Amino acid sequence: MKGALPSILVLFLEACMPSNVYDAPKTMDLIAKTEAAAPNSIYGVYRFKVKSAARRGSVVFLNTEDDYRDRRSVAIVLDLEEIKQLTELHGQSPEVFFLNKQVEVVGEAYRAKVNLYCLPGVKPTQYYYQTRISVQHYDFIKVINEIGEVT
């Protein structure tokens, strides 16, 4: 029964799928909505092309722009458990597998304050805001084709 729980959770969550879908052309709409909703998040289905990716410690960021600091960029955030599961599923780390692919993500979009790098022990004084999508289960990110079908 131990293995059944994640499957039941996935089925339950898929039944509760949000009706709001954000496609790449609506990126700025999503950014504006997360700014207005802050500090709350917006649960939805998001479709973007992953243009850049990076691993920072135990987190992978899949970005919709080449420069993650670009005002138009949205970052899909995968934590250690999702990284492990996706690597096992696809045979490659997520930052390699999803690069330059169209993806569909179910998760919570939110506005994150990102401090600019400072020397150790120095309190950061400069920052920027980034829209991020938190993915709670490895099955909530899929590669899709140009017309939105899962491939």
Side-chain angles (χ1 to χ4, degrees), residues 83-114:
I83 294 167
K84 287 179 186 176
Q85 295 290 335
L86 289 165
T87 301
E88 185 177 313
L89 181 66
H90 299 297
Q92 293 179 303
S93 63
E95 65 269 31
V96 173
F97 178 78
F98 289 110
L99 189 61
N100 296 315
K101 292 183 178 147
Q102 194 78 17
V103 297
E104 180 177 270
V105 180
V106 176
E108 292 189 51
Y110 60 96
R111 185 178 191 211
K113 182 178 178 179
V114 181

Coordinates of all heavy atoms in Angstrom, one line a residue, residues 83-114:
I83 N 14.0 16.4 -8.5 CA 15.2 16.2 -9.3 C 15.6 14.7 -9.4 O 15.8 14.2 -10.5 CB 16.4 17.0 -8.7 CG1 16.1 18.5 -8.8 CG2 17.7 16.6 -9.5 CD1 17.1 19.3 -8.0
K84 N 15.5 14.0 -8.3 CA 15.9 12.6 -8.3 C 14.9 11.8 -9.1 O 15.3 10.9 -9.9 CB 15.8 12.0 -6.8 CG 17.0 12.5 -6.0 CD 16.8 11.9 -4.6 CE 17.9 12.4 -3.6 NZ 17.6 11.9 -2.2
Q85 N 13.6 12.0 -8.9 CA 12.5 11.3 -9.7 C 12.6 11.6 -11.2 O 12.5 10.6 -12.0 CB 11.1 11.7 -9.1 CG 10.9 11.2 -7.7 CD 10.8 9.7 -7.6 OE1 10.4 9.0 -8.5 NE2 11.1 9.2 -6.4
L86 N 12.8 12.8 -11.6 CA 12.9 13.2 -13.0 C 14.1 12.6 -13.6 O 14.1 12.2 -14.8 CB 12.8 14.7 -13.2 CG 11.4 15.3 -12.9 CD1 11.5 16.8 -12.7 CD2 10.4 14.9 -14.0
T87 N 15.2 12.6 -12.9 CA 16.5 12.0 -13.4 C 16.3 10.5 -13.7 O 16.7 10.0 -14.7 CB 17.7 12.3 -12.5 OG1 17.8 13.7 -12.3 CG2 19.0 11.7 -13.0
E88 N 15.7 9.9 -12.7 CA 15.4 8.4 -12.9 C 14.5 8.2 -14.1 O 14.7 7.3 -14.9 CB 14.8 7.9 -11.6 CG 14.6 6.4 -11.6 CD 14.1 5.9 -10.3 OE1 14.6 6.3 -9.2 OE2 13.1 5.1 -10.3
L89 N 13.4 9.0 -14.2 CA 12.4 8.8 -15.2 C 13.0 9.1 -16.6 O 12.7 8.3 -17.6 CB 11.2 9.8 -15.0 CG 10.1 9.8 -16.0 CD1 9.3 8.4 -15.9 CD2 9.1 10.9 -15.7
H90 N 13.8 10.1 -16.8 CA 14.3 10.6 -18.1 C 15.7 10.1 -18.4 O 16.2 10.3 -19.6 CB 14.1 12.1 -18.3 CG 12.7 12.5 -18.2 ND1 11.7 12.2 -19.0 CD2 12.1 13.4 -17.3 CE1 10.6 12.7 -18.7 NE2 10.8 13.5 -17.6
G91 N 16.4 9.6 -17.4 CA 17.8 9.2 -17.7 C 18.8 10.4 -17.8 O 19.9 10.2 -18.2
Q92 N 18.3 11.6 -17.5 CA 19.2 12.8 -17.5 C 18.7 13.7 -16.4 O 17.5 13.7 -16.0 CB 19.0 13.6 -18.8 CG 19.5 12.9 -20.1 CD 19.3 13.7 -21.3 OE1 18.2 14.1 -21.6 NE2 20.3 14.1 -22.0
S93 N 19.6 14.6 -16.0 CA 19.1 15.6 -15.0 C 18.1 16.5 -15.6 O 18.2 16.8 -16.8 CB 20.3 16.3 -14.4 OG 21.0 17.0 -15.5
P94 N 17.2 17.1 -14.8 CA 16.2 18.0 -15.4 C 16.7 19.2 -16.1 O 16.2 19.6 -17.2 CB 15.4 18.4 -14.2 CG 15.7 17.4 -13.1 CD 17.0 16.9 -13.4
E95 N 17.9 19.7 -15.7 CA 18.4 20.9 -16.3 C 18.9 20.6 -17.7 O 19.1 21.5 -18.5 CB 19.4 21.6 -15.4 CG 20.7 20.9 -15.2 CD 20.6 20.0 -13.9 OE1 19.6 19.6 -13.5 OE2 21.7 19.9 -13.3
V96 N 19.2 19.3 -18.0 CA 19.7 18.9 -19.3 C 18.4 18.4 -20.1 O 18.3 18.9 -21.3 CB 20.7 17.7 -19.2 CG1 21.0 17.2 -20.6 CG2 22.0 18.2 -18.5
F97 N 17.6 17.6 -19.5 CA 16.5 17.0 -20.3 C 15.5 18.1 -20.7 O 15.0 18.0 -21.9 CB 15.7 16.0 -19.4 CG 14.5 15.4 -20.1 CD1 14.7 14.4 -21.0 CD2 13.3 15.9 -19.8 CE1 13.6 13.9 -21.7 CE2 12.2 15.3 -20.4 CZ 12.3 14.3 -21.4
F98 N 15.1 19.0 -19.9 CA 14.1 20.0 -20.3 C 14.6 21.2 -21.1 O 13.8 22.0 -21.6 CB 13.4 20.5 -19.0 CG 12.5 19.5 -18.4 CD1 12.8 18.9 -17.2 CD2 11.3 19.0 -19.0 CE1 12.0 17.9 -16.6 CE2 10.5 18.1 -18.4 CZ 10.9 17.5 -17.2
L99 N 15.9 21.4 -21.2 CA 16.4 22.5 -21.9 C 16.0 22.6 -23.4 O 16.0 21.5 -24.1 CB 18.0 22.5 -21.8 CG 18.7 23.8 -22.3 CD1 18.2 25.0 -21.5 CD2 20.2 23.6 -22.3
N100 N 15.5 23.7 -23.8 CA 15.0 23.9 -25.2 C 13.8 23.1 -25.5 O 13.5 22.9 -26.7 CB 16.1 23.7 -26.2 CG 17.3 24.7 -26.0 OD1 17.0 25.9 -25.8 ND2 18.5 24.2 -26.0
K101 N 13.0 22.8 -24.5 CA 11.7 22.0 -24.8 C 10.6 22.8 -24.2 O 10.7 23.6 -23.3 CB 11.8 20.7 -24.1 CG 12.8 19.7 -24.7 CD 12.8 18.4 -24.1 CE 13.8 17.5 -24.9 NZ 14.4 16.5 -24.0
Q102 N 9.4 22.6 -24.9 CA 8.2 23.2 -24.4 C 7.7 22.3 -23.3 O 7.6 21.1 -23.4 CB 7.2 23.2 -25.6 CG 6.0 24.0 -25.4 CD 6.2 25.5 -25.7 OE1 7.2 25.9 -26.2 NE2 5.3 26.3 -25.2
V103 N 7.3 22.9 -22.1 CA 6.8 22.2 -21.0 C 5.5 22.7 -20.5 O 5.1 23.8 -20.7 CB 7.8 22.2 -19.8 CG1 9.2 21.6 -20.2 CG2 8.0 23.6 -19.3
E104 N 4.8 21.8 -19.9 CA 3.5 22.1 -19.2 C 3.8 21.8 -17.7 O 4.2 20.7 -17.4 CB 2.4 21.3 -19.7 CG 1.0 21.6 -19.0 CD -0.1 20.9 -19.6 OE1 -0.7 21.5 -20.5 OE2 -0.4 19.8 -19.2
V105 N 3.5 22.8 -16.9 CA 3.8 22.6 -15.4 C 2.5 22.9 -14.6 O 1.8 23.9 -15.0 CB 4.9 23.6 -15.0 CG1 5.1 23.5 -13.5 CG2 6.1 23.4 -15.8
V106 N 2.2 22.1 -13.6 CA 1.1 22.4 -12.7 C 1.8 22.8 -11.4 O 2.6 22.0 -10.9 CB 0.2 21.2 -12.5 CG1 -0.8 21.5 -11.5 CG2 -0.4 20.7 -13.8
G107 N 1.4 23.9 -10.9 CA 2.1 24.3 -9.6 C 1.6 25.7 -9.2 O 0.6 26.3 -9.7
E108 N 2.3 26.2 -8.2 CA 2.0 27.5 -7.6 C 3.0 28.6 -8.1 O 4.2 28.4 -7.8 CB 2.0 27.4 -6.1 CG 0.9 26.6 -5.6 CD 0.8 26.7 -4.1 OE1 0.7 27.8 -3.5 OE2 0.8 25.6 -3.4
A109 N 2.5 29.6 -8.7 CA 3.3 30.7 -9.2 C 3.3 31.8 -8.1 O 2.3 32.1 -7.5 CB 2.8 31.3 -10.5
Y110 N 4.5 32.3 -7.8 CA 4.6 33.3 -6.7 C 5.7 34.3 -7.0 O 6.6 34.0 -7.8 CB 4.8 32.6 -5.3 CG 6.1 31.8 -5.3 CD1 7.2 32.3 -4.8 CD2 6.1 30.5 -5.8 CE1 8.4 31.6 -4.7 CE2 7.2 29.7 -5.7 CZ 8.4 30.3 -5.2 OH 9.5 29.5 -5.1
R111 N 5.7 35.4 -6.3 CA 6.7 36.4 -6.5 C 7.8 36.2 -5.4 O 7.5 36.1 -4.2 CB 6.1 37.8 -6.3 CG 7.0 38.9 -6.6 CD 6.2 40.2 -6.4 NE 7.0 41.3 -6.9 CZ 6.9 42.5 -6.4 NH1 6.0 42.8 -5.4 NH2 7.6 43.5 -6.9
A112 N 9.0 36.0 -5.8 CA 10.1 35.8 -4.9 C 11.1 36.9 -4.9 O 11.5 37.4 -6.0 CB 10.9 34.5 -5.2
K113 N 11.5 37.4 -3.7 CA 12.5 38.4 -3.6 C 13.9 37.7 -3.6 O 14.2 36.8 -2.9 CB 12.4 39.2 -2.3 CG 13.4 40.3 -2.1 CD 13.1 41.0 -0.8 CE 14.1 42.1 -0.6 NZ 13.8 42.9 0.7
V114 N 14.8 38.1 -4.6 CA 16.1 37.5 -4.7 C 17.1 38.5 -4.4 O 17.2 39.6 -5.1 CB 16.3 37.0 -6.2 CG1 17.6 36.3 -6.4 CG2 15.1 36.0 -6.6

